[in-house]
């Protein structure tokens, strides 16, 4: 009986509300009907209210896929770093460890996260997991940019967000990219593709994901054919998710996105433009300046440790580096999310009067042979470059630099086109011989012989090598193939045959014998027999074997590189080091003597880093040295994607890091509050804060 009673009660409980009404008397039916009407009205009112709130929330949504896990949060204080950092297998007390400074951090946040209306899936839809506003370990993965055809190149921007008070150690991200995928570049991590899986792991400096912070990672990949399914492990927490395929910067779908944009005014304007002209960019302003004719009155020369113009006015070269022509991008890095013309104007308006442009020998030879590869950039933003190959874009760059009063220094950064190419010791490789290396430089010097926009050539970036290595750069009086001093002399003379006006910069090496009489041939493999310094920073050999350019000696500039302890903890960065100890322990004997003894000018080709310790003390001391001796320099670097230094601009390659810029500004050439350019006729920049070289008094 009890069982039958329970079954009846369960049956009644499952009976619908309408069935119960049918069994009620008429008075109860009327009362119930009135109740239903009231409930329906309340539901409609609430639906309207909360529906509007939901739309408002979507209008401000972040378009990135956010994968969340409880209250465990991870990130790394927005640190940028060397995604392929290496210890170079160095041992010994005085060894220099030069990690990759060039290509490791980039435009990590170009996915249009503040756009409204479109592509709102993937936000706060992870089945009850907490949103980042409310805490939680969050991984944001954006397919932030895409360009090119055959191959299609995709940029993934990945953020690990930690809003909790807990820190985590170690992280790994795995993404299905397909077996055809290859990596062009990556930053803030170690990258490997195996069996179609992209694996990204932490590097030393971002091993700890600090509380209440964000770690930014990025990678550029060709030929993605996988699902982009991502699996992430941060500390002991596992986070799964998919990459957001709704790329806001997808160049190939740009016109479709414009036509489907929720903004009706933009849609109407785009449709009107398309109806008026088949070219959607026909009525756009590229922001380019009119290009003046090339001139030949800005060539420079040296006398002792100083650099002068043709009128005898002492000048000060104060610039920055902007890489990309060496990495496979085949133009400047950062154009995947920024405008070229705006960037050039920004550099000039901020007072830099010269830009050192790293480039590969391989790319120059491709230009010479009429096989210029396509460049990788955002076609929608830089639409005016779409029909140009990489050489045509470079010529365009030269013209815009000239129009902005900027000068160029070409830096042969590596033999092969490779983001890690500068890690190789020498100026030649299996693909590029010494003769081909020289051929490339002669081609550039001859091509621009009648254009003083390009006023200098840095013959080779950071020749290096350790005592035990067979292929190491040496400096002596031999004619050995790896004797950088000899090769640099021969290469410079070949350049002067086609362009006798340019300056030639010669960097140092890594090691130099302590006893040049007994070990002048570098035969010892004992590290204790050598002085070590940064790659390219050891110019001790100039004292024993100075570069001899004959009648072109007044075109020679020596160019060391110098970095701080955030790149590598050199022995001179001991506790309590000072400006004076840096001079005594490193700078004076390695290269400063060249300036102080009036042998030749110095241009520090690379220096820079993060605006925090342990780097800031060193960087402040070097700035003091630069200011005191008016040493020429090009700051490393403009790029945001320089892993162990950061850049002058932030991840969008548009917003300037004002703190870092203010720091560097103190050693930019200025007279009476105006930045001084190196062009006699065209003022530096268009902001009204720059003057021509003719207007300047010059350094004393």
């Amino acid at each position: 009986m009890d069982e039958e009673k329970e079954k009846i009660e369960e049956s009644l409980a499952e009976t619908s509300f309408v069935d119960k009404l049918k069994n009620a008397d008429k008075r109860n039916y009327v009362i119930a009907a009135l109740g239903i009407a009231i409930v329906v009205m309340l539901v409609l009112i609430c639906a309207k209210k909360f529906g509007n709130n939901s739309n408002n929330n979507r209008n401000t949504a972040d378009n990135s896929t956010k994968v969340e896990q409880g209250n465990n949060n991870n990130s790394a204080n927005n640190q940028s770093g060397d995604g392929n950092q290496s210890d170079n297998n160095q041992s010994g007390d005085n060894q220099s460890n030069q990690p990759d400074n060039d290509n490791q951090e980039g435009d990590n946040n170009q996915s249009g996260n503040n756009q409204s209306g479109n592509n709102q899936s993937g936000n706060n839809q992870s089945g009850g997991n907490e949103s980042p506003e409310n805490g939680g370990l969050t991984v944001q993965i954006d397919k932030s940019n895409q360009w090119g055809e055959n191959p299609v190149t995709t940029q993934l921007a990945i953020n690990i967000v930690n809003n909790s008070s807990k820190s985590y150690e170690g992280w790994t991200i795995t993404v299905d990219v397909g077996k055809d995928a290859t990596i062009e570049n990556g930053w803030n991590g170690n990258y490997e593709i195996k069996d179609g899986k992209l694996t990204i792991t932490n590097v030393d400096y971002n091993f700890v994901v600090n509380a209440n912070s964000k770690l930014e990672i990025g990678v550029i990949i060709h030929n993605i054919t996988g699902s982009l399914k991502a699996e992430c492990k941060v500390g002991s927490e596992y986070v799964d998710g998919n990459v957001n395929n709704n790329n806001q910067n997808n160049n190939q779908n740009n016109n479709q996105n414009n036509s489907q944009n929720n903004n009706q005014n933009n849609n109407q304007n785009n449709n009107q433009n398309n109806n008026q002209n088949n070219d959607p960019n026909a009525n756009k302003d590229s922001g380019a300046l009119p290009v003046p004719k090339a001139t030949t009155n800005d060539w420079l020369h040296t006398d002792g440790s100083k650099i002068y113009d043709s009128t005898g006015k002492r000048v000060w070269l104060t610039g920055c580096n902007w890489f990309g022509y060496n990495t496979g991008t085949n133009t400047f890095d950062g154009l995947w999310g920024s405008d070229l013309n705006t960037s050039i104007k920004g550099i000039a308006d901020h007072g830099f009067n010269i830009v050192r442009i790293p480039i590969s020998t391989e790319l120059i030879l491709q230009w010479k042979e009429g096989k210029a590869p396509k460049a990788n950039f955002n076609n929608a933003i830089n639409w005016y470059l779409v029909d140009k190959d990489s050489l045509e874009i470079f010529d365009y760059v030269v013209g815009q630099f000239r129009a902005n009063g900027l000068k160029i220094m070409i830096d042969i950064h590596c033999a092969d086109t490779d983001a890690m190419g500068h890690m190789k010791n020498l100026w030649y490789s299996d693909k590029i011989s010494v003769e081909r290396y020289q051929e490339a430089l002669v081609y550039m010097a001859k091509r621009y012989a009648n254009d003083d926009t390009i006023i200098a050539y840095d013959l080779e970036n950071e020749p290096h090598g350790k005592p035990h290595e067979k292929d190491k750069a040496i400096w002596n009086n031999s004619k050995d193939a790896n004797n950088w001093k000899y090769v640099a002399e021969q290469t410079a003379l070949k350049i002067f045959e086609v362009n006798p006006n340019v300056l030639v910069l010669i960097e140092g090496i890594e090691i130099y014998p302590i006893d040049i009489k007994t070990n002048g041939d570098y035969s010892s493999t004992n590290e204790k027999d050598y002085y070590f310094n940064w790659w390219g920073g050891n110019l001790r050999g100039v004292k024993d074997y100075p570069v001899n350019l004959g009648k072109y000696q007044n075109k020679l500039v020596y160019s060391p590189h110098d970095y701080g302890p955030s790149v590598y903890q050199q022995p001179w960065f001991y506790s309590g080091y000072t400006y004076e100890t840096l001079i005594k322990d490193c700078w004076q004997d390695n290269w400063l003597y060249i300036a102080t003894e009036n042998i030749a000018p110095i241009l520090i080709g690379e220096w820079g880093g993060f605006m925090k310790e342990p780097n800031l003390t060193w960087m402040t001391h070097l700035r003091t040295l630069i200011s005191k001796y008016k040493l020429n320099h090009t700051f490393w670097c403009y790029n945001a994607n320089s892993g162990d230094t950061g850049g002058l601009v932030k991840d969008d390659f548009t917003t300037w890091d004002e703190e870092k810029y203010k720091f560097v500004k103190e050693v930019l050439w200025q007279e009476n509050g105006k930045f001084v350019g190196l062009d006699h006729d065209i003022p530096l920049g268009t902001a009204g804060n720059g003057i021509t070289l003719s207007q300047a008094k010059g350094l004393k």
Side-chain angles (χ1 to χ4, degrees):
M1 293 294 293
D2 292 339
E3 293 179 356
E4 291 179 359
K5 182 178 180 181
E6 289 177 1
K7 290 181 180 179
I8 293 172
E9 289 176 350
E10 290 175 359
S11 177
L12 290 173
E14 294 173 356
T15 303
S16 68
F17 182 60
V18 175
D19 291 333
K20 291 179 181 179
L21 288 177
K22 289 180 180 179
N23 295 328
D25 58 31
K26 292 182 179 181
R27 286 179 300 176
N28 291 339
Y29 184 86
V30 172
I31 293 171
L34 290 173
I36 291 173
I38 294 171
V39 171
V40 170
M41 291 177 64
L42 290 173
V43 170
L44 291 174
I45 292 172
C46 292
K48 181 177 182 181
K49 177 179 179 181
F50 290 105
N52 290 337
N53 289 340
S54 178
N55 288 335
N56 290 335
N57 290 335
R58 287 196 298 270
N59 286 339
T60 59
D62 184 342
N63 290 314
S64 60
T65 300
K66 299 180 179 179
V67 189
E68 301 158 7
Q69 179 70 38
N71 291 319
N72 299 318
N73 306 308
N74 254 348
S75 178
N77 290 330
N78 295 314
Q79 296 184 41
S80 59
D82 182 350
N84 296 290
Q85 200 161 1
S86 168
D87 64 4
N88 298 323
N89 298 318
Q90 299 192 33
S91 61
D93 295 334
N94 294 319
Q95 295 191 40
S96 152
N97 180 348
Q98 181 96 9
D100 178 10
N101 298 327
D102 296 357
N103 309 304
Q104 273 56 36
E105 183 204 330
D107 184 8
N108 300 325
N109 295 299
Q110 299 167 16
S111 55
N113 290 341
N114 293 320
Q115 300 183 34
S116 62
N118 295 330
N119 303 322
Q120 296 165 19
S121 62
N123 290 320
N124 304 322
Q125 298 180 16
S126 54
N129 291 330
E130 293 183 53
S131 68
E133 291 77 14
N134 296 326
L137 178 62
T138 305
V139 177
Q140 304 170 348
I141 306 175
D142 281 295
K143 189 176 178 181
S144 64
N145 195 18
Q146 194 172 72
W147 63 88
E149 297 179 7
N150 298 320
V152 174
T153 302
T154 303
Q155 180 181 343
L156 300 180
I158 306 169
N159 294 328
I160 302 175
V161 180
N162 182 7
N163 293 322
S164 78
S165 58
K166 180 179 179 181
S167 296
Y168 293 85
E169 293 186 352
W171 52 267
T172 301
I173 299 172
T174 304
V175 184
D176 177 18
V177 294
K179 294 184 178 180
D180 296 329
T182 58
I183 299 173
E184 175 183 309
N185 194 8
W187 46 94
N188 292 353
N190 296 310
Y191 296 82
E192 180 185 22
I193 294 179
K194 186 176 182 179
D195 297 329
K197 298 289 185 180
L198 167 67
T199 301
I200 313 171
T201 57
N202 60 268
V203 289
D204 291 343
Y205 57 81
N206 59 19
F207 172 74
V208 177
V209 187
N210 295 319
N212 297 312
S213 57
K214 180 175 69 173
L215 172 62
E216 299 174 341
I217 313 152
V219 62
I220 297 174
I221 303 178
H222 302 297
N223 289 322
I224 291 178
T225 57
S227 65
L228 293 179
K229 179 71 176 179
E231 298 178 353
C232 316
K233 180 183 179 184
V234 184
S236 61
E237 302 293 334
Y238 288 87
V239 185
D240 296 329
N242 294 315
V243 171
N244 177 16
N245 289 307
N246 295 319
N247 172 28
Q248 296 298 312
N249 287 328
N250 190 326
N251 303 324
Q252 296 176 339
N253 296 326
N254 181 62
N255 293 333
Q256 295 178 6
N257 289 340
N258 287 340
S259 66
Q260 295 172 2
N261 196 301
N262 286 344
N263 187 322
Q264 295 180 355
N265 291 331
N266 286 341
N267 189 32
Q268 292 173 1
N269 290 337
N270 287 340
N271 289 338
Q272 290 173 2
N273 289 337
N274 289 336
N275 290 334
Q276 293 171 3
N277 194 314
N278 290 331
D279 182 1
N281 299 315
N283 297 322
K284 287 185 180 180
D285 180 5
S286 68
L289 296 179
V291 178
K293 291 184 179 180
T295 61
T296 57
N297 64 329
D298 293 332
W299 302 117
L300 304 173
H301 67 277
T302 73
D303 186 1
S305 61
K306 300 174 179 61
I307 302 177
Y308 298 89
D309 74 351
S310 58
T311 69
K313 185 180 296 182
R314 184 185 173 190
V315 301
W316 192 15
L317 280 64
T318 57
C320 64
N321 289 263
W322 189 3
F323 63 79
Y325 279 94
N326 55 308
T327 67
T329 303
N330 299 327
T331 185
F332 293 121
D333 276 5
L335 300 186
W336 47 69
S338 63
D339 175 69
L340 173 62
N341 290 328
T342 302
S343 300
I344 294 173
K345 288 181 181 178
I347 292 172
D349 289 346
H350 281 80
F352 297 88
N353 58 27
I354 187 170
V355 176
R356 179 176 180 261
I357 300 179
I359 192 170
S360 72
T361 304
E362 181 180 2
L363 179 60
I364 295 174
L365 291 173
Q366 288 175 309
W367 290 351
K368 179 181 182 293
E369 294 163 1
K371 301 175 182 179
K374 286 291 185 181
N376 297 318
F377 57 88
N378 188 312
N379 293 0
I381 297 175
N382 298 283
W383 53 269
Y384 47 89
L385 303 177
V386 169
D387 60 348
K388 295 178 172 61
D389 62 32
S390 53
L391 177 56
E392 292 169 330
I393 292 175
F394 184 80
D395 283 339
Y396 180 93
V397 165
V398 172
Q400 286 305 300
F401 269 58
R402 187 188 313 136
N404 281 274
L406 277 166
K407 297 301 182 182
I408 292 172
M409 178 199 309
I410 296 296
D411 155 44
I412 302 299
H413 210 69
C414 49
D416 303 334
T417 299
D418 184 352
M420 300 297 292
H422 65 287
M423 301 292 286
K424 295 181 179 179
N425 295 5
L426 304 175
W427 43 95
Y428 54 87
S429 69
D430 293 339
K431 293 193 298 183
I432 307 294
S433 66
V434 174
E435 292 74 20
R436 293 282 278 163
Y437 153 75
Q438 294 173 336
E439 182 183 330
L441 274 163
V442 170
Y443 165 77
M444 290 292 285
K446 184 176 181 180
R447 179 180 176 86
Y448 299 101
N450 295 314
D451 185 352
D452 55 23
T453 306
I454 302 179
I455 61 170
Y457 289 86
D458 186 340
L459 299 188
E460 175 65 19
N461 178 71
E462 298 178 351
H464 61 278
K466 297 169 182 56
H468 67 274
E469 294 180 291
K470 180 180 178 181
D471 291 330
K472 58 178 175 288
I474 65 174
W475 190 295
N476 58 23
N477 61 352
S478 73
K479 294 184 179 181
D480 294 343
N482 62 332
N483 179 11
W484 172 232
K485 181 255 184 187
Y486 173 73
V487 173
E489 287 175 338
Q490 298 304 306
T491 304
L493 293 175
K494 290 180 181 294
I495 289 174
F496 293 138
E497 288 178 3
V498 297
N499 186 348
N501 299 304
V502 292
L503 295 178
V504 164
L505 281 79
I506 297 179
E507 298 186 26
I509 54 177
E510 181 182 4
I511 61 173
Y512 193 71
I514 293 175
D515 189 341
I516 195 66
K517 293 181 180 180
T518 61
N519 191 32
D521 60 356
Y522 293 73
S523 58
S524 173
T525 59
N526 189 339
E527 291 163 348
K528 294 181 180 180
D529 290 337
Y530 296 89
Y531 298 109
F532 282 77
N533 196 21
W534 299 104
W535 296 356
N538 195 329
L539 283 162
R540 291 172 182 263
V542 173
K543 187 179 293 291
D544 299 312
Y545 307 107
V547 169
N548 181 7
L549 298 182
K551 65 179 181 179
Y552 301 109
Q553 197 69 20
N554 69 341
K555 293 295 182 177
L556 171 64
V557 178
Y558 289 106
S559 184
H561 291 182
D562 201 75
Y563 281 102
S566 65
V567 173
Y568 181 69
Q569 187 68 34
Q570 297 280 17
W572 46 87
F573 295 130
Y574 46 77
S575 177
Y577 75 90
T578 64
Y579 172 79
E580 289 76 17
T581 64
L582 286 172
I583 292 177
K584 177 179 178 292
D585 297 337
C586 179
W587 297 336
Q588 181 63 33
D589 291 339
N590 278 309
W591 48 265
L592 183 57
Y593 75 93
I594 296 173
T596 58
E597 296 179 15
N598 206 34
I599 297 171
I602 286 291
L603 186 148
I604 304 174
E606 293 183 17
W607 72 286
F610 296 119
M611 294 295 294
K612 61 183 180 181
E613 298 299 353
N615 194 69
L616 190 55
T617 295
W618 158 80
M619 199 157 64
T620 302
H621 291 328
L622 186 55
R623 183 184 64 178
T624 299
L625 187 78
I626 291 171
S627 179
K628 178 179 179 179
Y629 292 99
K630 293 297 182 287
L631 300 176
N632 306 281
H633 66 94
T634 47
F635 187 81
W636 189 274
C637 60
Y638 177 77
N639 299 62
N641 60 323
S642 175
D644 45 13
T645 66
L648 287 164
V649 290
K650 298 186 177 181
D651 293 332
D652 59 4
F653 271 80
T654 300
T655 305
W656 281 71
D657 184 331
E658 293 299 334
E659 180 187 18
K660 182 176 285 190
Y661 169 65
K662 183 179 179 182
F663 178 91
V664 180
K665 183 181 177 182
E666 290 193 17
V667 284
L668 298 182
W669 190 13
Q670 301 173 64
E671 286 188 6
N672 300 319
K674 298 283 188 178
F675 296 112
V676 182
L678 300 172
D679 193 295
H680 286 85
D681 304 312
I682 303 170
L684 183 60
T686 58
N689 59 354
I691 60 175
T692 67
L693 186 52
S694 298
Q695 295 172 305
K697 295 179 180 179
L699 295 180
K700 295 181 180 180

